[in-house]
Amino acid sequence: MWSADEIAGLCYLHYRTRLPKQGKPDPNREWTSLAAVVKVESGAQREVLDSPGNLQVTKEVVAMGTGTKCIGQNKMRKTGDILNDSHAEVVAKRSFQRYLLHQLWLAASHQQCIFSPGTETGKWKLKPNIIFIFFSSHTPCGDASIFPISEPENQLSKPVTGGHAAGKSPECRSNHNHLCPEDKRKSEKMASNHIIKRMKTDDGVCFSIITEDLAVRHESVERKDNTNQKSCECSAEMQTANKDTGLVRPKVVDVHRTGAKCVPGDLDDARIPGLGYHCVGLLRVKPGRGDRTCSMSCSDKLARWNVLGCQGALLMHFLQYPVYLSAIIVGKCPYSQEAMRRAVIERCQHISSLPDGFLTQEVKLLQSELQFEHSRQAVQGVQTNSKTKLVPCSAAISWSAVPEQPLDVTADGFRQGTTKKGIGSQQSRMKTLKTYWDYKEAALNYQEAWRVLRSQALLGWVENAKEYLHFT
């Protein structure tokens, strides 16, 4: 019916053929992230996800976003004309909401669309033969990005390479350079009483070095205050060679780190080199360039969407049920099935007393073996011998399957090309869903579900002050 590679390939093709060159990175010095929503529709009125493999289905990209940037708190505006969060996942979800809004207009106009009439007057529900799959070219920032880096014990100085599909052993692999021969000999000599540490060069390439740090010789780290022991444990076990068989097993030497910061007032990372650097399971805000942001990490937002749906509060005025994702697929990159499940599903599984129609989704999590051509790892692989410093692309592209102005390109939260004089004008605005705070609050079932989720699982969620939401 569909596979992770098929969905990834469809999204990559759409990126190459349907998105303009404007807003895409310069592959000689820039990289970006890609996310998309794919509609999968079967010919029969039945659940698509559990259908036999030979069922005929159509697959279509209905929303897409690129981007890596987030504005700091000091750049936020109360007029609603700037995008706070331009990470690809959030841009794609925003584009998806535009698509849903257009489909609701088609439904109200009695035209062909993805919705059918609900049992409540004036409300609609998704047709049962349609599902939506979320694709991301990279592991979401935040909690899903925290997982062990493993290396064979007899190759301590060699790079961790490649990626693996969901369901395989959770060894974490990414593209790194080899150490020089001298460092390799040192690593072999010192491996018995020293610790592996990840270092990064100016061009962003990571590698392993040996460093003397006896403080990190443990499998898990406890916070001194012991407030939340579970959150501060690293789930991976140290592994050693099997003396009987002579087989070499991966040895955990560090964790992949996220730039997302723990929310103020909650537990914080221990920042101990090695396995104890991060605490897992915590809410995080995206990093800014010197200025803290108010945007929650993509891991946290995916966890929220998995309970509340992707439609947001405003569209719930017209929907009987939330619009959920049936699967989340990540492209070839450093990835952990365990970390994804922990971040997106398990943190909210215990939620109870949700309003009718809302539920804790058991979304399907998969990884593709296909790599995004403009991902950081892909660009690094091509530019191995280049001395040019790789940087994230400053632009973000938003595309939606709608007939009117489907495309927007932004930079620093404004439509690309906006001058300082033009900030605040209608031309500088994105096609966002702009309305009063009161309209969002009036979606009573959605707000009740959000209150329950926030009180039982996502405590500490950073919300924007009301003055940033009272725009027209």
Side-chain angles (χ1 to χ4, degrees), residues 411-463:
D412 298 321
F414 293 106
R415 179 171 288 171
Q416 197 170 60
T418 300
T419 61
K420 287 186 177 181
K421 186 177 180 180
I423 291 177
S425 67
Q426 189 63 37
Q427 288 73 26
S428 69
R429 288 177 178 263
M430 282 279 292
K431 293 294 180 182
T432 53
L433 302 176
K434 301 181 293 294
T435 186
Y436 288 106
W437 161 266
D438 298 330
Y439 281 104
K440 293 188 69 171
E441 288 297 292
L444 299 181
N445 271 9
Y446 181 91
Q447 294 300 341
E448 174 62 15
W450 178 217
R451 184 194 66 77
V452 171
L453 177 59
R454 205 166 56 241
S455 64
Q456 296 185 30
L458 303 182
L459 289 78
W461 187 280
V462 176
E463 293 194 285

Short mmCIF file of all heavy atoms in Angstrom, two decimals, residues 411-463:
data_model
loop_
_atom_site.label_atom_id
_atom_site.label_comp_id
_atom_site.label_asym_id
_atom_site.label_seq_id
_atom_site.Cartn_x
_atom_site.Cartn_y
_atom_site.Cartn_z
N ALA A 411 11.77 34.95 5.53
CA ALA A 411 13.09 35.05 6.16
C ALA A 411 12.93 35.89 7.42
O ALA A 411 12.29 36.93 7.39
CB ALA A 411 14.10 35.69 5.21
N ASP A 412 13.48 35.39 8.52
CA ASP A 412 13.37 36.08 9.82
C ASP A 412 11.91 36.31 10.22
O ASP A 412 11.59 37.29 10.89
CB ASP A 412 14.13 37.41 9.80
CG ASP A 412 15.61 37.22 9.56
OD1 ASP A 412 16.17 36.25 10.11
OD2 ASP A 412 16.20 38.02 8.81
N GLY A 413 11.02 35.42 9.79
CA GLY A 413 9.62 35.51 10.19
C GLY A 413 8.76 36.36 9.29
O GLY A 413 7.53 36.36 9.42
N PHE A 414 9.36 37.10 8.35
CA PHE A 414 8.61 37.94 7.42
C PHE A 414 8.71 37.38 6.00
O PHE A 414 9.65 36.66 5.68
CB PHE A 414 9.14 39.38 7.42
CG PHE A 414 8.92 40.12 8.71
CD1 PHE A 414 9.99 40.36 9.57
CD2 PHE A 414 7.66 40.57 9.07
CE1 PHE A 414 9.80 41.04 10.76
CE2 PHE A 414 7.47 41.25 10.25
CZ PHE A 414 8.53 41.48 11.11
N ARG A 415 7.75 37.76 5.16
CA ARG A 415 7.82 37.35 3.77
C ARG A 415 9.13 37.87 3.16
O ARG A 415 9.53 39.01 3.39
CB ARG A 415 6.62 37.92 3.00
CG ARG A 415 6.62 37.55 1.53
CD ARG A 415 5.31 37.94 0.87
NE ARG A 415 4.23 37.05 1.29
CZ ARG A 415 2.96 37.26 1.01
NH1 ARG A 415 2.59 38.34 0.36
NH2 ARG A 415 2.05 36.40 1.41
N GLN A 416 9.81 36.99 2.43
CA GLN A 416 11.11 37.34 1.87
C GLN A 416 11.01 38.59 0.99
O GLN A 416 10.11 38.71 0.16
CB GLN A 416 11.67 36.18 1.06
CG GLN A 416 13.17 36.29 0.79
CD GLN A 416 13.72 35.01 0.20
OE1 GLN A 416 13.29 34.57 -0.86
NE2 GLN A 416 14.68 34.40 0.88
N GLY A 417 11.94 39.52 1.19
CA GLY A 417 11.93 40.77 0.43
C GLY A 417 11.30 41.92 1.19
O GLY A 417 11.35 43.07 0.74
N THR A 418 10.72 41.65 2.36
CA THR A 418 10.10 42.72 3.15
C THR A 418 11.18 43.66 3.68
O THR A 418 12.17 43.22 4.27
CB THR A 418 9.31 42.13 4.33
OG1 THR A 418 8.29 41.27 3.82
CG2 THR A 418 8.67 43.23 5.16
N THR A 419 11.00 44.95 3.47
CA THR A 419 11.93 45.95 3.99
C THR A 419 11.46 46.39 5.38
O THR A 419 10.34 46.11 5.80
CB THR A 419 11.98 47.17 3.06
OG1 THR A 419 10.67 47.76 3.00
CG2 THR A 419 12.40 46.76 1.65
N LYS A 420 12.33 47.10 6.08
CA LYS A 420 11.95 47.60 7.40
C LYS A 420 10.73 48.50 7.31
O LYS A 420 9.85 48.48 8.18
CB LYS A 420 13.13 48.36 8.03
CG LYS A 420 14.27 47.47 8.49
CD LYS A 420 15.33 48.26 9.23
CE LYS A 420 16.43 47.35 9.75
NZ LYS A 420 17.47 48.12 10.48
N LYS A 421 10.65 49.27 6.24
CA LYS A 421 9.52 50.17 6.05
C LYS A 421 8.24 49.38 5.79
O LYS A 421 7.13 49.82 6.16
CB LYS A 421 9.80 51.12 4.88
CG LYS A 421 8.75 52.19 4.68
CD LYS A 421 9.15 53.13 3.55
CE LYS A 421 8.09 54.22 3.35
NZ LYS A 421 8.45 55.15 2.24
N GLY A 422 8.38 48.22 5.18
CA GLY A 422 7.21 47.44 4.82
C GLY A 422 6.70 46.52 5.91
O GLY A 422 5.64 45.91 5.77
N ILE A 423 7.46 46.41 7.02
CA ILE A 423 7.02 45.55 8.12
C ILE A 423 5.70 46.06 8.68
O ILE A 423 5.54 47.24 8.97
CB ILE A 423 8.09 45.49 9.23
CG1 ILE A 423 9.31 44.72 8.72
CG2 ILE A 423 7.53 44.84 10.48
CD1 ILE A 423 10.45 44.66 9.70
N GLY A 424 4.74 45.18 8.81
CA GLY A 424 3.43 45.55 9.31
C GLY A 424 2.40 45.74 8.22
O GLY A 424 1.20 45.80 8.49
N SER A 425 2.86 45.83 6.97
CA SER A 425 1.92 45.99 5.86
C SER A 425 1.30 44.66 5.51
O SER A 425 1.80 43.59 5.88
CB SER A 425 2.65 46.57 4.64
OG SER A 425 3.58 45.62 4.14
N GLN A 426 0.21 44.68 4.75
CA GLN A 426 -0.47 43.45 4.35
C GLN A 426 0.43 42.59 3.47
O GLN A 426 0.39 41.37 3.51
CB GLN A 426 -1.75 43.80 3.58
CG GLN A 426 -2.65 42.60 3.29
CD GLN A 426 -3.18 41.94 4.56
OE1 GLN A 426 -3.48 42.63 5.54
NE2 GLN A 426 -3.26 40.63 4.56
N GLN A 427 1.31 43.25 2.68
CA GLN A 427 2.19 42.50 1.77
C GLN A 427 3.23 41.69 2.54
O GLN A 427 3.75 40.70 2.02
CB GLN A 427 2.89 43.47 0.81
CG GLN A 427 1.98 44.07 -0.25
CD GLN A 427 1.02 45.12 0.32
OE1 GLN A 427 1.31 45.74 1.34
NE2 GLN A 427 -0.12 45.29 -0.33
N SER A 428 3.56 42.11 3.75
CA SER A 428 4.59 41.42 4.50
C SER A 428 4.05 40.22 5.25
O SER A 428 4.80 39.42 5.79
CB SER A 428 5.23 42.38 5.52
OG SER A 428 4.33 42.71 6.56
N ARG A 429 2.74 40.09 5.30
CA ARG A 429 2.13 39.03 6.09
C ARG A 429 2.12 37.70 5.34
O ARG A 429 1.95 37.65 4.14
CB ARG A 429 0.67 39.38 6.45
CG ARG A 429 0.56 40.48 7.49
CD ARG A 429 -0.91 40.81 7.72
NE ARG A 429 -1.07 41.83 8.75
CZ ARG A 429 -1.33 41.57 10.01
NH1 ARG A 429 -1.45 40.33 10.41
NH2 ARG A 429 -1.48 42.54 10.89
N MET A 430 2.28 36.63 6.12
CA MET A 430 2.06 35.29 5.59
C MET A 430 0.56 35.01 5.56
O MET A 430 -0.22 35.70 6.19
CB MET A 430 2.73 34.26 6.52
CG MET A 430 4.23 34.17 6.34
SD MET A 430 4.66 33.16 4.94
CE MET A 430 4.13 31.56 5.50
N LYS A 431 0.19 33.97 4.84
CA LYS A 431 -1.20 33.55 4.83
C LYS A 431 -1.46 32.69 6.07
O LYS A 431 -1.63 31.49 6.02
CB LYS A 431 -1.50 32.74 3.56
CG LYS A 431 -1.42 33.58 2.30
CD LYS A 431 -2.52 34.63 2.27
CE LYS A 431 -2.45 35.47 1.01
NZ LYS A 431 -3.46 36.51 0.98
N THR A 432 -1.48 33.32 7.24
CA THR A 432 -1.71 32.61 8.49
C THR A 432 -3.17 32.72 8.89
O THR A 432 -3.92 33.54 8.36
CB THR A 432 -0.84 33.19 9.62
OG1 THR A 432 -1.06 34.60 9.68
CG2 THR A 432 0.62 32.94 9.36
N LEU A 433 -3.56 31.88 9.83
CA LEU A 433 -4.93 31.93 10.31
C LEU A 433 -5.00 32.97 11.41
O LEU A 433 -4.74 32.69 12.58
CB LEU A 433 -5.33 30.55 10.85
CG LEU A 433 -5.22 29.41 9.85
CD1 LEU A 433 -5.54 28.08 10.51
CD2 LEU A 433 -6.14 29.63 8.67
N LYS A 434 -5.30 34.22 11.07
CA LYS A 434 -5.28 35.33 12.02
C LYS A 434 -6.69 35.62 12.53
O LYS A 434 -7.62 35.78 11.75
CB LYS A 434 -4.70 36.59 11.35
CG LYS A 434 -3.29 36.41 10.82
CD LYS A 434 -2.77 37.67 10.21
CE LYS A 434 -3.50 38.04 8.95
NZ LYS A 434 -3.28 37.09 7.87
N THR A 435 -6.84 35.66 13.83
CA THR A 435 -8.13 35.95 14.42
C THR A 435 -7.93 36.35 15.87
O THR A 435 -6.81 36.35 16.39
CB THR A 435 -9.08 34.74 14.32
OG1 THR A 435 -10.37 35.13 14.79
CG2 THR A 435 -8.56 33.58 15.12
N TYR A 436 -9.03 36.66 16.56
CA TYR A 436 -8.94 37.07 17.96
C TYR A 436 -8.72 35.86 18.87
O TYR A 436 -9.09 34.73 18.56
CB TYR A 436 -10.22 37.79 18.38
CG TYR A 436 -10.39 39.16 17.81
CD1 TYR A 436 -11.31 39.41 16.79
CD2 TYR A 436 -9.65 40.23 18.30
CE1 TYR A 436 -11.48 40.68 16.26
CE2 TYR A 436 -9.81 41.50 17.78
CZ TYR A 436 -10.72 41.72 16.76
OH TYR A 436 -10.88 42.98 16.24
N TRP A 437 -8.15 36.17 20.04
CA TRP A 437 -8.00 35.18 21.10
C TRP A 437 -9.35 34.55 21.43
O TRP A 437 -9.46 33.35 21.68
CB TRP A 437 -7.39 35.88 22.32
CG TRP A 437 -7.54 35.18 23.64
CD1 TRP A 437 -8.53 35.37 24.56
CD2 TRP A 437 -6.67 34.19 24.18
NE1 TRP A 437 -8.33 34.56 25.65
CE2 TRP A 437 -7.19 33.82 25.44
CE3 TRP A 437 -5.51 33.59 23.73
CZ2 TRP A 437 -6.58 32.88 26.25
CZ3 TRP A 437 -4.90 32.64 24.54
CH2 TRP A 437 -5.43 32.31 25.78
N ASP A 438 -10.40 35.34 21.40
CA ASP A 438 -11.74 34.87 21.77
C ASP A 438 -12.21 33.73 20.87
O ASP A 438 -12.89 32.81 21.33
CB ASP A 438 -12.76 36.02 21.70
CG ASP A 438 -12.41 37.12 22.68
OD1 ASP A 438 -11.82 36.80 23.72
OD2 ASP A 438 -12.73 38.29 22.39
N TYR A 439 -11.83 33.77 19.58
CA TYR A 439 -12.25 32.71 18.67
C TYR A 439 -11.59 31.38 19.04
O TYR A 439 -12.20 30.32 18.94
CB TYR A 439 -11.92 33.08 17.23
CG TYR A 439 -12.90 34.05 16.62
CD1 TYR A 439 -12.57 35.40 16.44
CD2 TYR A 439 -14.17 33.64 16.22
CE1 TYR A 439 -13.46 36.30 15.89
CE2 TYR A 439 -15.08 34.52 15.67
CZ TYR A 439 -14.72 35.86 15.50
OH TYR A 439 -15.61 36.74 14.96
N LYS A 440 -10.33 31.44 19.44
CA LYS A 440 -9.65 30.22 19.85
C LYS A 440 -10.26 29.68 21.13
O LYS A 440 -10.50 28.47 21.27
CB LYS A 440 -8.15 30.49 20.06
CG LYS A 440 -7.40 30.85 18.80
CD LYS A 440 -5.91 30.91 19.04
CE LYS A 440 -5.33 29.55 19.32
NZ LYS A 440 -3.86 29.54 19.36
N GLU A 441 -10.52 30.55 22.07
CA GLU A 441 -11.09 30.12 23.34
C GLU A 441 -12.49 29.56 23.18
O GLU A 441 -12.94 28.73 23.98
CB GLU A 441 -11.12 31.30 24.33
CG GLU A 441 -9.74 31.70 24.85
CD GLU A 441 -9.09 30.57 25.64
OE1 GLU A 441 -9.59 30.25 26.73
OE2 GLU A 441 -8.10 30.00 25.15
N ALA A 442 -13.19 29.98 22.14
CA ALA A 442 -14.57 29.53 21.92
C ALA A 442 -14.64 28.08 21.45
O ALA A 442 -15.71 27.47 21.48
CB ALA A 442 -15.27 30.44 20.91
N ALA A 443 -13.52 27.50 21.04
CA ALA A 443 -13.48 26.07 20.67
C ALA A 443 -13.38 25.28 21.98
O ALA A 443 -12.32 24.82 22.38
CB ALA A 443 -12.30 25.80 19.75
N LEU A 444 -14.52 25.10 22.64
CA LEU A 444 -14.54 24.63 24.03
C LEU A 444 -13.96 23.24 24.20
O LEU A 444 -13.17 22.99 25.12
CB LEU A 444 -15.98 24.68 24.56
CG LEU A 444 -16.62 26.08 24.58
CD1 LEU A 444 -18.04 25.99 25.13
CD2 LEU A 444 -15.78 27.05 25.40
N ASN A 445 -14.35 22.28 23.34
CA ASN A 445 -13.83 20.92 23.47
C ASN A 445 -12.32 20.88 23.29
O ASN A 445 -11.61 20.18 24.01
CB ASN A 445 -14.51 20.01 22.44
CG ASN A 445 -15.78 19.39 22.98
OD1 ASN A 445 -16.25 19.77 24.06
ND2 ASN A 445 -16.34 18.45 22.25
N TYR A 446 -11.82 21.62 22.31
CA TYR A 446 -10.37 21.65 22.07
C TYR A 446 -9.65 22.24 23.27
O TYR A 446 -8.64 21.69 23.73
CB TYR A 446 -10.06 22.48 20.82
CG TYR A 446 -8.58 22.54 20.48
CD1 TYR A 446 -8.01 21.60 19.64
CD2 TYR A 446 -7.77 23.53 21.02
CE1 TYR A 446 -6.66 21.64 19.33
CE2 TYR A 446 -6.41 23.58 20.72
CZ TYR A 446 -5.86 22.64 19.88
OH TYR A 446 -4.53 22.68 19.58
N GLN A 447 -10.15 23.35 23.80
CA GLN A 447 -9.49 23.99 24.94
C GLN A 447 -9.54 23.11 26.19
O GLN A 447 -8.60 23.09 26.98
CB GLN A 447 -10.13 25.35 25.21
CG GLN A 447 -9.92 26.38 24.10
CD GLN A 447 -8.46 26.68 23.84
OE1 GLN A 447 -7.58 26.42 24.65
NE2 GLN A 447 -8.17 27.24 22.66
N GLU A 448 -10.63 22.36 26.35
CA GLU A 448 -10.71 21.44 27.49
C GLU A 448 -9.70 20.31 27.33
O GLU A 448 -9.03 19.91 28.29
CB GLU A 448 -12.13 20.88 27.61
CG GLU A 448 -12.30 19.79 28.66
CD GLU A 448 -11.98 20.25 30.08
OE1 GLU A 448 -11.91 21.48 30.32
OE2 GLU A 448 -11.81 19.38 30.96
N ALA A 449 -9.58 19.77 26.10
CA ALA A 449 -8.59 18.71 25.85
C ALA A 449 -7.17 19.23 26.09
O ALA A 449 -6.33 18.53 26.67
CB ALA A 449 -8.73 18.20 24.41
N TRP A 450 -6.91 20.45 25.69
CA TRP A 450 -5.59 21.06 25.89
C TRP A 450 -5.32 21.28 27.38
O TRP A 450 -4.21 21.06 27.86
CB TRP A 450 -5.52 22.36 25.11
CG TRP A 450 -4.25 23.16 25.23
CD1 TRP A 450 -4.15 24.52 25.28
CD2 TRP A 450 -2.89 22.69 25.28
NE1 TRP A 450 -2.85 24.92 25.37
CE2 TRP A 450 -2.04 23.81 25.37
CE3 TRP A 450 -2.33 21.42 25.27
CZ2 TRP A 450 -0.65 23.70 25.46
CZ3 TRP A 450 -0.93 21.32 25.35
CH2 TRP A 450 -0.12 22.44 25.44
N ARG A 451 -6.35 21.67 28.13
CA ARG A 451 -6.19 21.86 29.57
C ARG A 451 -5.83 20.53 30.25
O ARG A 451 -4.92 20.47 31.09
CB ARG A 451 -7.47 22.42 30.17
CG ARG A 451 -7.37 22.76 31.66
CD ARG A 451 -8.72 22.98 32.30
NE ARG A 451 -9.53 21.75 32.31
CZ ARG A 451 -9.33 20.76 33.17
NH1 ARG A 451 -8.36 20.82 34.08
NH2 ARG A 451 -10.09 19.68 33.12
N VAL A 452 -6.52 19.46 29.86
CA VAL A 452 -6.25 18.14 30.43
C VAL A 452 -4.84 17.68 30.09
O VAL A 452 -4.09 17.20 30.95
CB VAL A 452 -7.29 17.11 29.93
CG1 VAL A 452 -6.88 15.69 30.32
CG2 VAL A 452 -8.67 17.44 30.48
N LEU A 453 -4.46 17.82 28.82
CA LEU A 453 -3.12 17.40 28.38
C LEU A 453 -2.03 18.18 29.11
O LEU A 453 -1.03 17.61 29.56
CB LEU A 453 -3.00 17.60 26.87
CG LEU A 453 -1.65 17.28 26.23
CD1 LEU A 453 -1.25 15.84 26.47
CD2 LEU A 453 -1.69 17.58 24.73
N ARG A 454 -2.24 19.47 29.24
CA ARG A 454 -1.24 20.32 29.90
C ARG A 454 -1.11 19.99 31.39
O ARG A 454 -0.02 20.00 31.94
CB ARG A 454 -1.63 21.79 29.70
CG ARG A 454 -0.47 22.78 29.76
CD ARG A 454 -0.85 24.13 29.22
NE ARG A 454 -1.99 24.73 29.87
CZ ARG A 454 -3.13 25.04 29.28
NH1 ARG A 454 -3.30 24.80 28.00
NH2 ARG A 454 -4.13 25.58 29.95
N SER A 455 -2.21 19.68 32.03
CA SER A 455 -2.18 19.42 33.47
C SER A 455 -1.66 18.03 33.81
O SER A 455 -1.09 17.83 34.88
CB SER A 455 -3.58 19.61 34.06
OG SER A 455 -4.49 18.65 33.53
N GLN A 456 -1.81 17.08 32.88
CA GLN A 456 -1.44 15.71 33.20
C GLN A 456 -0.12 15.25 32.58
O GLN A 456 0.50 14.31 33.08
CB GLN A 456 -2.55 14.75 32.75
CG GLN A 456 -3.86 14.94 33.49
CD GLN A 456 -4.90 13.90 33.10
OE1 GLN A 456 -4.56 12.77 32.73
NE2 GLN A 456 -6.17 14.27 33.17
N ALA A 457 0.33 15.89 31.51
CA ALA A 457 1.54 15.42 30.84
C ALA A 457 2.51 16.53 30.48
O ALA A 457 3.71 16.41 30.73
CB ALA A 457 1.17 14.63 29.59
N LEU A 458 2.02 17.60 29.88
CA LEU A 458 2.93 18.63 29.36
C LEU A 458 2.99 19.83 30.29
O LEU A 458 2.82 20.98 29.89
CB LEU A 458 2.50 19.04 27.95
CG LEU A 458 2.41 17.89 26.93
CD1 LEU A 458 2.03 18.42 25.55
CD2 LEU A 458 3.73 17.11 26.85
N LEU A 459 3.22 19.56 31.57
CA LEU A 459 3.35 20.63 32.55
C LEU A 459 4.55 21.52 32.19
O LEU A 459 5.58 21.02 31.77
CB LEU A 459 3.55 20.07 33.95
CG LEU A 459 2.36 19.38 34.62
CD1 LEU A 459 2.16 17.97 34.09
CD2 LEU A 459 2.57 19.33 36.14
N GLY A 460 4.42 22.79 32.38
CA GLY A 460 5.52 23.70 32.09
C GLY A 460 5.54 24.20 30.66
O GLY A 460 6.47 24.91 30.27
N TRP A 461 4.52 23.82 29.87
CA TRP A 461 4.47 24.28 28.47
C TRP A 461 4.51 25.81 28.44
O TRP A 461 3.74 26.48 29.12
CB TRP A 461 3.19 23.78 27.81
CG TRP A 461 3.10 24.05 26.33
CD1 TRP A 461 2.75 25.22 25.75
CD2 TRP A 461 3.36 23.13 25.27
NE1 TRP A 461 2.78 25.10 24.38
CE2 TRP A 461 3.15 23.83 24.05
CE3 TRP A 461 3.75 21.80 25.21
CZ2 TRP A 461 3.31 23.22 22.81
CZ3 TRP A 461 3.92 21.20 23.98
CH2 TRP A 461 3.70 21.91 22.80
N VAL A 462 5.40 26.37 27.64
CA VAL A 462 5.55 27.83 27.54
C VAL A 462 4.50 28.37 26.57
O VAL A 462 4.50 28.02 25.39
CB VAL A 462 6.96 28.21 27.06
CG1 VAL A 462 7.07 29.71 26.87
CG2 VAL A 462 8.01 27.71 28.06
N GLU A 463 3.62 29.21 27.06
CA GLU A 463 2.57 29.80 26.23
C GLU A 463 2.84 31.28 26.04
O GLU A 463 3.32 31.97 26.95
CB GLU A 463 1.20 29.60 26.87
CG GLU A 463 0.77 28.15 26.91
CD GLU A 463 -0.71 28.02 27.23
OE1 GLU A 463 -1.09 28.22 28.39
OE2 GLU A 463 -1.49 27.73 26.30
#
